[in-house]
Amino acid sequence: MKELNLHGSFYEMGRQFGKESKKEIKSFAKMSYLMASLAKKPGSQVFNPNMWYFIPTYFTFKKEIKKWQSLAREYEKEIQKYHPDAIDFMKGIAEGAELPYIDVLSLNISTENIITCSVWGAAGESTLNNEPLIGMNADEEPMTQKFERVLHVNPDKGFRYKVTAFTGWVGYNHGMNEKGLTFAGSLLWTKPAPEKKIRPPMLVLMKVLNTCSTVEEVKEYFESVPNHELGTDFYIADTHKFMRVECTYEKRAYEVVENGYRGNTNLITSPELQHLNGAPEMKQTLNAEIRSKRMAALFKKHDGLIDTHVMYEMASDHGEKGDESEGKSICQHPKGLKYNYKTLVSFIAQPQEKCFWIYEGNPCEMKVKKHSFDN
């Protein structure tokens, strides 16, 4: 996976990002318009579109580009309110990639529709060394793999941080800052809001890596930003504990964990939000319930002994032979057009040591690199 070192103001770092990934950003921006249009077609499966919907959309999506650009402009107003640095970053990306700014803005809005993941954490007495640990598998369409990057972000204000990101994207799946604050986020499949309205997009919450060093500071920041439209699950760890935040358009549920473990696979677990669980338009739930059960079983099996090796075992798990989880567990492999999702990146973080591991592709393939703030 290509790595980029970014330095300076957010505008200048964006310009560097755009210049170094010009070809991929242009391609990904075009693909984002296509995927946004495909996601809204009646009968299309948002997270796993089939060829019967993809082919006609491919020849007609350009007619809808102005619609997505108009929507992006509305979102821009919310981003400017809560995270103006993100606007500067995107404008820099546009200049560096020699691409109209509106295309980069639209890219950062539409990509919120195409991600599904597993995320989990453990802390305290559940772990071998009494420390917080975070794990995440980013499961996406295989065609997006070429757009993945590791960014070493060194801004001229705030904390340094290292993240994975799609080319041209200001939102991140996971990362850590120099204080050890660790962040991982995935989507929750929630029922749609009764009334649609423009809300701050998910990317405004990525500010935490630049400005926060503790779970308490993250919660304070989250509370200052209105709920966004997408159901989203965040696991945030400092060097002593982790916090799970389940976000919906209606409200957020917070849980700070000092001893124990938690895990999510696109499903809401907070009791007060259970009534929002479910996406009725989904024909293929990408094994969410099976993954959840398997994750709980693995946690129970290793309770008190959880370390980075156990976290890796979970990330690369393929299920129990002869059980419903066989071939449908946390490490996701594509199975043709009917089920085309794949684990593209795995992330295992050790905040007390201020380091993490990135597994490129399926973690079972062991293509891994360690990252820390010593390098």
Side-chain angles (χ1 to χ4, degrees), residues 42 54 64 77 88 107 147 153 158 179 183 189 251 344 346:
F54 183 89
E64 298 186 296
K77 300 171 186 176
D88 290 341
L107 165 65
F147 302 112
V153 183
K179 297 296 182 180
F183 173 97
W189 294 336
K251 64 179 292 187
L344 299 186
S346 291

Side-chain angles (χ1 to χ4, degrees), residues 299-357:
F299 267 134
K300 184 177 180 180
K301 174 182 176 181
H302 296 291
D303 190 13
L305 299 172
I306 300 168
D307 59 6
T308 56
H309 298 290
V310 172
M311 297 293 280
Y312 167 74
E313 181 179 325
M314 293 180 66
S316 57
D317 183 73
H318 296 134
E320 189 74 27
K321 191 171 183 179
D323 184 72
E324 65 172 354
S325 64
E326 184 178 3
K328 298 180 179 180
S329 191
I330 301 164
C331 186
Q332 296 283 284
H333 292 257
K335 300 174 180 64
L337 295 176
K338 185 178 180 181
Y339 186 93
N340 195 37
Y341 263 62
K342 181 181 187 293
T343 299
L344 299 186
V345 181
S346 291
F347 171 80
I348 296 173
Q350 194 174 17
Q352 282 189 0
E353 301 298 323
K354 298 182 176 61
C355 68
F356 59 90
W357 291 261

Side-chain angles (χ1 to χ4, degrees), residues 42-258:
S44 179
Q45 188 170 329
V46 178
F47 292 96
N48 194 24
N50 64 48
M51 296 302 292
W52 293 110
Y53 296 102
F54 183 89
I55 293 173
T57 304
Y58 181 81
F59 291 104
T60 61
F61 78 95
K62 291 182 180 179
K63 297 178 181 179
E64 298 186 296
I65 286 178
K66 289 189 181 298
K67 176 179 70 174
W68 300 120
Q69 291 178 341
S70 177
L71 181 64
R73 288 291 188 191
E74 291 298 309
Y75 272 110
E76 181 185 37
K77 300 171 186 176
E78 297 297 313
I79 301 170
Q80 190 67 50
K81 289 179 188 176
Y82 302 105
H83 194 5
D85 288 336
I87 298 293
D88 290 341
F89 200 13
M90 285 187 279
K91 287 181 176 179
I93 290 170
E95 179 182 319
E98 299 178 357
L99 194 66
Y101 163 66
I102 186 61
D103 289 336
V104 177
L105 179 65
S106 299
L107 165 65
N108 276 276
I109 301 306
S110 63
T111 45
E112 296 193 11
N113 289 320
I114 59 173
I115 304 171
T116 176
C117 306
S118 296
V119 60
W120 61 96
E125 295 175 0
S126 288
T127 68
L128 183 63
N129 299 313
N130 199 38
E131 62 177 335
L133 299 165
I134 294 289
M136 178 181 171
N137 280 6
D139 306 326
E140 294 145 10
E141 284 279 355
M143 64 182 174
T144 64
Q145 189 162 18
K146 64 181 180 180
F147 302 112
E148 292 275 7
R149 296 290 185 272
V150 175
L151 304 182
H152 302 262
V153 183
N154 302 279
D156 57 10
K157 62 178 182 179
F159 301 129
R160 296 175 296 139
Y161 53 94
K162 301 173 186 285
V163 295
T164 64
F166 288 126
T167 53
W169 208 25
V170 181
Y172 315 122
N173 279 343
H174 30 58
M176 176 185 288
N177 70 17
E178 62 184 292
K179 297 296 182 180
L181 188 85
T182 302
F183 173 97
S186 68
L187 297 188
L188 294 172
W189 294 336
T190 64
K191 295 176 182 177
E195 296 182 9
K196 294 289 183 180
K197 64 179 181 179
I198 298 297
R199 304 167 186 264
M202 191 169 75
L203 66 91
V204 304
L205 301 176
M206 308 308 172
K207 187 175 181 179
V208 299
L209 290 174
N210 183 234
T211 62
C212 300
S213 59
T214 67
V215 161
E216 289 78 13
E217 289 173 353
V218 175
K219 184 177 180 181
E220 182 179 357
Y221 174 69
F222 272 36
E223 285 295 278
S224 73
V225 180
N227 292 352
H228 51 275
E229 179 70 27
L230 287 172
T232 316
D233 189 48
F234 299 101
Y235 278 50
I236 301 104
D238 56 28
T239 55
H240 296 94
K241 55 189 172 298
F242 75 92
M243 175 173 65
R244 181 177 67 182
V245 189
E246 293 189 341
C247 305
T248 69
Y249 59 84
E250 189 176 277
K251 64 179 292 187
R252 300 187 189 97
Y254 299 89
E255 183 181 16
V256 176
V257 181
E258 296 184 359

